[in-house]
Amino acid sequence: SQTIHQWPATLVQPVGSPLSLECTVEGTSNPNLYWYRQAAGRGLQLLFYSVGIGQISSEVPQNLSASRPQDRQFILSSKKLLLSDSGFYLCAWSVKGSKNIQYFGAGTRLSVL
Amino acid sequence: RKEVEQDPGPFNVPEGATVAFNCTYSNSASQSFFWYRQDCRKEPKLLMSVYSSGNEDGRFTAQLNRASQYISLLIRDSKLSDSATYLCVVNIKQTGANNLFFGTGTRLTVIP
């Protein structure tokens, strides 16, 4: 069966520090991969998606970047965090050519202080 | 205009009650529809897909009205464990992408 791993679960970082969140998927190949952010009391906002290695699409201009160095690995990064980067970051995967049902990792709760 | 609109609630209902959530979507090109459930401080999890003919999964019934661009979820015989936020989700195929759009969720609390 397929599983998705995200780490760390919780992160507290000072303003201006770098960020690296990692997500890996097991039990499937060539998935679509996604990064979302959920601010407190808000809906999920799609940040990036990837249909393959090295292929990244950005949905909103921001202080973040994403990379997909391997088929089942998706990384979210920032060189310098802002206070507004605080939130709940969720990675998700879906099967290509399907109804696009997405399955989420457990998420990383980021607090920028 | 938001792609998906939901009543945020909260809905506070007693155990055993029937409760219904509604959702509207703005893009007529929307292709597939879902309800996800999100527990407090957890990730969203797929509850059920929504089909034009309506579909049922145990105590849960989902309906889709494409003409009105309206989706509903009915929960019968509410359990304490049903307390969660229910997200209405729409899949829209756009140029080069096939993305999900999430409502902000409807919060349900089932009271003993």
Short mmCIF file of all heavy atoms in Angstrom, two decimals, chain A residues 37-79:
data_model
loop_
_atom_site.label_atom_id
_atom_site.label_comp_id
_atom_site.label_asym_id
_atom_site.label_seq_id
_atom_site.Cartn_x
_atom_site.Cartn_y
_atom_site.Cartn_z
N ARG A 37 -0.38 25.00 1.94
CA ARG A 37 -0.28 25.65 3.25
C ARG A 37 -1.69 25.95 3.75
O ARG A 37 -2.55 26.38 2.97
CB ARG A 37 0.51 26.96 3.18
CG ARG A 37 0.53 27.72 4.51
CD ARG A 37 1.49 28.89 4.50
NE ARG A 37 1.19 29.82 3.43
CZ ARG A 37 2.10 30.62 2.86
NH1 ARG A 37 3.35 30.56 3.24
NH2 ARG A 37 1.76 31.46 1.91
N GLN A 38 -1.88 25.71 5.04
CA GLN A 38 -3.16 26.03 5.67
C GLN A 38 -2.87 26.98 6.82
O GLN A 38 -2.31 26.57 7.83
CB GLN A 38 -3.85 24.77 6.16
CG GLN A 38 -5.26 24.99 6.66
CD GLN A 38 -5.94 23.67 7.01
OE1 GLN A 38 -5.31 22.74 7.50
NE2 GLN A 38 -7.25 23.58 6.75
N ALA A 39 -3.24 28.24 6.67
CA ALA A 39 -3.09 29.20 7.76
C ALA A 39 -4.23 28.98 8.74
O ALA A 39 -5.27 28.40 8.40
CB ALA A 39 -3.10 30.62 7.21
N ALA A 40 -4.03 29.43 9.96
CA ALA A 40 -5.02 29.22 11.02
C ALA A 40 -6.38 29.73 10.58
O ALA A 40 -6.53 30.88 10.17
CB ALA A 40 -4.57 29.94 12.29
N GLY A 41 -7.40 28.84 10.64
CA GLY A 41 -8.76 29.23 10.30
C GLY A 41 -9.00 29.47 8.82
O GLY A 41 -10.05 29.98 8.44
N ARG A 42 -8.06 29.07 7.98
CA ARG A 42 -8.19 29.30 6.54
C ARG A 42 -8.23 27.98 5.79
O ARG A 42 -7.92 26.92 6.32
CB ARG A 42 -7.00 30.12 6.06
CG ARG A 42 -6.78 31.43 6.81
CD ARG A 42 -7.75 32.50 6.38
NE ARG A 42 -7.59 32.88 5.00
CZ ARG A 42 -6.70 33.77 4.58
NH1 ARG A 42 -5.88 34.35 5.42
NH2 ARG A 42 -6.63 34.08 3.30
N GLY A 43 -8.57 28.06 4.52
CA GLY A 43 -8.59 26.87 3.68
C GLY A 43 -7.20 26.52 3.19
O GLY A 43 -6.23 27.24 3.42
N LEU A 44 -7.12 25.38 2.53
CA LEU A 44 -5.84 24.94 1.98
C LEU A 44 -5.48 25.77 0.74
O LEU A 44 -6.30 25.96 -0.16
CB LEU A 44 -5.90 23.48 1.56
CG LEU A 44 -5.54 22.47 2.63
CD1 LEU A 44 -6.63 22.37 3.66
CD2 LEU A 44 -5.26 21.11 2.02
N GLN A 45 -4.26 26.24 0.70
CA GLN A 45 -3.76 27.01 -0.43
C GLN A 45 -2.68 26.19 -1.13
O GLN A 45 -1.68 25.82 -0.50
CB GLN A 45 -3.19 28.34 0.05
CG GLN A 45 -2.64 29.22 -1.07
CD GLN A 45 -1.94 30.45 -0.55
OE1 GLN A 45 -1.30 30.42 0.50
NE2 GLN A 45 -2.07 31.55 -1.28
N LEU A 46 -2.87 25.91 -2.41
CA LEU A 46 -1.87 25.17 -3.17
C LEU A 46 -0.67 26.07 -3.42
O LEU A 46 -0.80 27.18 -3.94
CB LEU A 46 -2.46 24.69 -4.50
CG LEU A 46 -1.50 23.92 -5.41
CD1 LEU A 46 -1.06 22.60 -4.76
CD2 LEU A 46 -2.17 23.64 -6.75
N LEU A 47 0.52 25.58 -3.04
CA LEU A 47 1.75 26.34 -3.23
C LEU A 47 2.49 25.88 -4.49
O LEU A 47 2.88 26.68 -5.32
CB LEU A 47 2.66 26.17 -2.01
CG LEU A 47 2.09 26.59 -0.66
CD1 LEU A 47 3.07 26.25 0.45
CD2 LEU A 47 1.76 28.07 -0.65
N PHE A 48 2.73 24.58 -4.57
CA PHE A 48 3.48 24.01 -5.70
C PHE A 48 2.89 22.65 -6.05
O PHE A 48 2.35 21.96 -5.20
CB PHE A 48 4.96 23.79 -5.32
CG PHE A 48 5.69 25.02 -4.93
CD1 PHE A 48 5.81 25.37 -3.59
CD2 PHE A 48 6.27 25.85 -5.88
CE1 PHE A 48 6.48 26.51 -3.20
CE2 PHE A 48 6.95 27.00 -5.51
CZ PHE A 48 7.05 27.33 -4.16
N TYR A 49 3.05 22.27 -7.32
CA TYR A 49 2.78 20.90 -7.69
C TYR A 49 3.82 20.44 -8.68
O TYR A 49 4.47 21.25 -9.35
CB TYR A 49 1.35 20.70 -8.22
CG TYR A 49 1.07 21.34 -9.56
CD1 TYR A 49 1.25 20.64 -10.75
CD2 TYR A 49 0.57 22.63 -9.63
CE1 TYR A 49 0.97 21.22 -11.96
CE2 TYR A 49 0.28 23.22 -10.84
CZ TYR A 49 0.48 22.52 -12.01
OH TYR A 49 0.20 23.10 -13.21
N SER A 50 3.98 19.12 -8.77
CA SER A 50 4.99 18.55 -9.63
C SER A 50 4.45 17.29 -10.31
O SER A 50 3.90 16.42 -9.65
CB SER A 50 6.24 18.20 -8.81
OG SER A 50 7.15 17.46 -9.60
N VAL A 51 4.63 17.21 -11.62
CA VAL A 51 4.19 16.04 -12.36
C VAL A 51 5.34 15.08 -12.64
O VAL A 51 5.11 13.99 -13.18
CB VAL A 51 3.47 16.43 -13.67
CG1 VAL A 51 2.22 17.26 -13.37
CG2 VAL A 51 4.40 17.19 -14.59
N GLY A 52 6.58 15.48 -12.30
CA GLY A 52 7.72 14.61 -12.53
C GLY A 52 8.99 15.21 -11.97
O GLY A 52 9.01 16.36 -11.53
N ILE A 53 10.06 14.42 -12.02
CA ILE A 53 11.35 14.87 -11.49
C ILE A 53 11.75 16.19 -12.16
O ILE A 53 11.73 16.30 -13.39
CB ILE A 53 12.44 13.81 -11.75
CG1 ILE A 53 12.12 12.53 -10.96
CG2 ILE A 53 13.82 14.33 -11.34
CD1 ILE A 53 13.05 11.38 -11.28
N GLY A 54 12.12 17.16 -11.33
CA GLY A 54 12.58 18.43 -11.84
C GLY A 54 11.51 19.34 -12.40
O GLY A 54 11.80 20.45 -12.84
N GLN A 55 10.27 18.89 -12.39
CA GLN A 55 9.16 19.70 -12.94
C GLN A 55 8.34 20.27 -11.80
O GLN A 55 7.67 19.53 -11.09
CB GLN A 55 8.27 18.84 -13.83
CG GLN A 55 9.00 18.23 -15.02
CD GLN A 55 8.08 17.35 -15.84
OE1 GLN A 55 7.10 17.83 -16.44
NE2 GLN A 55 8.35 16.07 -15.87
N ILE A 56 8.43 21.59 -11.64
CA ILE A 56 7.75 22.27 -10.54
C ILE A 56 6.90 23.40 -11.11
O ILE A 56 7.38 24.19 -11.92
CB ILE A 56 8.76 22.89 -9.55
CG1 ILE A 56 9.80 21.85 -9.11
CG2 ILE A 56 8.03 23.50 -8.35
CD1 ILE A 56 9.24 20.71 -8.31
N SER A 57 5.67 23.48 -10.66
CA SER A 57 4.80 24.60 -11.02
C SER A 57 4.43 25.33 -9.74
O SER A 57 4.06 24.69 -8.75
CB SER A 57 3.54 24.11 -11.72
OG SER A 57 3.86 23.51 -12.95
N SER A 58 4.54 26.64 -9.79
CA SER A 58 4.24 27.47 -8.63
C SER A 58 2.88 28.12 -8.83
O SER A 58 2.61 28.65 -9.91
CB SER A 58 5.31 28.54 -8.47
OG SER A 58 4.96 29.43 -7.42
N GLU A 59 2.07 28.05 -7.80
CA GLU A 59 0.72 28.60 -7.91
C GLU A 59 0.61 30.02 -7.40
O GLU A 59 -0.25 30.77 -7.84
CB GLU A 59 -0.26 27.71 -7.13
CG GLU A 59 -0.53 26.39 -7.82
CD GLU A 59 -1.19 26.58 -9.17
OE1 GLU A 59 -2.31 27.12 -9.24
OE2 GLU A 59 -0.57 26.18 -10.18
N VAL A 60 1.43 30.40 -6.45
CA VAL A 60 1.36 31.76 -5.90
C VAL A 60 2.76 32.29 -5.71
O VAL A 60 3.66 31.56 -5.34
CB VAL A 60 0.58 31.79 -4.57
CG1 VAL A 60 -0.88 31.46 -4.77
CG2 VAL A 60 1.19 30.85 -3.57
N PRO A 61 2.97 33.59 -5.97
CA PRO A 61 4.29 34.18 -5.70
C PRO A 61 4.54 34.23 -4.20
O PRO A 61 3.64 34.52 -3.43
CB PRO A 61 4.17 35.59 -6.28
CG PRO A 61 2.72 35.89 -6.30
CD PRO A 61 2.02 34.57 -6.49
N GLN A 62 5.74 33.87 -3.79
CA GLN A 62 5.97 33.80 -2.36
C GLN A 62 7.46 33.66 -2.08
O GLN A 62 8.28 33.65 -2.98
CB GLN A 62 5.25 32.58 -1.80
CG GLN A 62 5.71 31.29 -2.47
CD GLN A 62 4.60 30.26 -2.47
OE1 GLN A 62 3.91 30.07 -1.48
NE2 GLN A 62 4.41 29.63 -3.60
N ASN A 63 7.72 33.49 -0.83
CA ASN A 63 9.07 33.39 -0.31
C ASN A 63 9.58 31.95 -0.32
O ASN A 63 10.62 31.66 0.24
CB ASN A 63 9.02 33.92 1.13
CG ASN A 63 10.37 34.00 1.76
OD1 ASN A 63 11.34 34.39 1.12
ND2 ASN A 63 10.45 33.60 3.02
N LEU A 64 8.88 31.05 -0.94
CA LEU A 64 9.20 29.63 -0.87
C LEU A 64 9.56 29.08 -2.23
O LEU A 64 9.20 29.67 -3.26
CB LEU A 64 7.99 28.86 -0.32
CG LEU A 64 7.47 29.30 1.04
CD1 LEU A 64 6.11 28.68 1.32
CD2 LEU A 64 8.45 28.91 2.13
N SER A 65 10.26 27.95 -2.24
CA SER A 65 10.55 27.25 -3.48
C SER A 65 10.39 25.76 -3.24
O SER A 65 10.33 25.30 -2.09
CB SER A 65 11.97 27.55 -3.96
OG SER A 65 12.92 27.11 -3.00
N ALA A 66 10.27 24.99 -4.31
CA ALA A 66 10.12 23.55 -4.19
C ALA A 66 11.05 22.86 -5.17
O ALA A 66 11.41 23.43 -6.21
CB ALA A 66 8.67 23.14 -4.43
N SER A 67 11.42 21.63 -4.82
CA SER A 67 12.25 20.83 -5.72
C SER A 67 11.82 19.38 -5.65
O SER A 67 11.28 18.93 -4.63
CB SER A 67 13.73 20.97 -5.36
OG SER A 67 13.97 20.49 -4.05
N ARG A 68 12.05 18.68 -6.73
CA ARG A 68 11.73 17.25 -6.78
C ARG A 68 12.97 16.54 -7.36
O ARG A 68 13.07 16.28 -8.55
CB ARG A 68 10.51 16.98 -7.65
CG ARG A 68 10.06 15.52 -7.65
CD ARG A 68 8.71 15.38 -8.31
NE ARG A 68 8.29 13.99 -8.40
CZ ARG A 68 7.09 13.60 -8.83
NH1 ARG A 68 6.21 14.51 -9.23
NH2 ARG A 68 6.78 12.32 -8.88
N PRO A 69 13.91 16.21 -6.48
CA PRO A 69 15.15 15.61 -6.95
C PRO A 69 15.01 14.13 -7.33
O PRO A 69 15.81 13.63 -8.12
CB PRO A 69 16.09 15.78 -5.75
CG PRO A 69 15.19 15.88 -4.57
CD PRO A 69 13.94 16.54 -5.05
N GLN A 70 14.02 13.47 -6.76
CA GLN A 70 13.76 12.07 -7.08
C GLN A 70 12.27 11.88 -7.31
O GLN A 70 11.45 12.73 -6.90
CB GLN A 70 14.23 11.16 -5.92
CG GLN A 70 15.71 11.27 -5.63
CD GLN A 70 16.11 10.35 -4.49
OE1 GLN A 70 15.74 9.18 -4.47
NE2 GLN A 70 16.88 10.88 -3.55
N ASP A 71 11.91 10.77 -7.90
CA ASP A 71 10.52 10.54 -8.30
C ASP A 71 9.54 10.69 -7.16
O ASP A 71 8.44 11.21 -7.32
CB ASP A 71 10.40 9.13 -8.92
CG ASP A 71 8.98 8.83 -9.38
OD1 ASP A 71 8.37 9.70 -10.03
OD2 ASP A 71 8.48 7.72 -9.08
N ARG A 72 9.94 10.21 -5.96
CA ARG A 72 9.00 10.17 -4.85
C ARG A 72 9.42 11.08 -3.71
O ARG A 72 9.06 10.84 -2.56
CB ARG A 72 8.85 8.72 -4.38
CG ARG A 72 8.07 7.86 -5.38
CD ARG A 72 8.11 6.40 -5.02
NE ARG A 72 9.43 5.84 -5.25
CZ ARG A 72 9.76 4.59 -4.94
NH1 ARG A 72 8.87 3.79 -4.37
NH2 ARG A 72 10.96 4.14 -5.18
N GLN A 73 10.20 12.10 -4.02
CA GLN A 73 10.68 13.03 -3.01
C GLN A 73 10.34 14.45 -3.43
O GLN A 73 10.63 14.86 -4.56
CB GLN A 73 12.20 12.88 -2.85
CG GLN A 73 12.78 13.73 -1.74
CD GLN A 73 14.29 13.63 -1.69
OE1 GLN A 73 14.95 13.39 -2.70
NE2 GLN A 73 14.86 13.81 -0.51
N PHE A 74 9.76 15.19 -2.50
CA PHE A 74 9.35 16.57 -2.78
C PHE A 74 9.81 17.42 -1.60
O PHE A 74 9.53 17.09 -0.45
CB PHE A 74 7.83 16.62 -2.95
CG PHE A 74 7.30 17.75 -3.79
CD1 PHE A 74 8.10 18.40 -4.72
CD2 PHE A 74 5.98 18.16 -3.67
CE1 PHE A 74 7.60 19.42 -5.51
CE2 PHE A 74 5.46 19.19 -4.46
CZ PHE A 74 6.28 19.82 -5.37
N ILE A 75 10.52 18.50 -1.89
CA ILE A 75 11.12 19.31 -0.84
C ILE A 75 10.62 20.75 -0.96
O ILE A 75 10.57 21.31 -2.05
CB ILE A 75 12.66 19.28 -0.95
CG1 ILE A 75 13.15 17.84 -0.74
CG2 ILE A 75 13.28 20.22 0.09
CD1 ILE A 75 14.62 17.66 -1.03
N LEU A 76 10.26 21.31 0.16
CA LEU A 76 9.84 22.71 0.24
C LEU A 76 10.92 23.49 0.97
O LEU A 76 11.36 23.06 2.04
CB LEU A 76 8.51 22.82 0.98
CG LEU A 76 7.90 24.22 1.08
CD1 LEU A 76 7.41 24.69 -0.28
CD2 LEU A 76 6.74 24.22 2.07
N SER A 77 11.33 24.62 0.40
CA SER A 77 12.47 25.35 0.97
C SER A 77 12.21 26.84 1.01
O SER A 77 11.36 27.37 0.28
CB SER A 77 13.72 25.12 0.12
OG SER A 77 14.01 23.76 -0.01
N SER A 78 12.98 27.48 1.88
CA SER A 78 13.04 28.94 1.89
C SER A 78 14.45 29.34 2.31
O SER A 78 15.05 28.69 3.16
CB SER A 78 12.02 29.52 2.86
OG SER A 78 12.18 30.92 2.96
N LYS A 79 14.95 30.42 1.74
CA LYS A 79 16.27 30.91 2.14
C LYS A 79 16.16 31.77 3.39
O LYS A 79 17.05 31.76 4.24
CB LYS A 79 16.89 31.72 1.00
CG LYS A 79 17.25 30.88 -0.21
CD LYS A 79 17.89 31.72 -1.29
CE LYS A 79 18.25 30.85 -2.48
NZ LYS A 79 18.85 31.65 -3.59
#
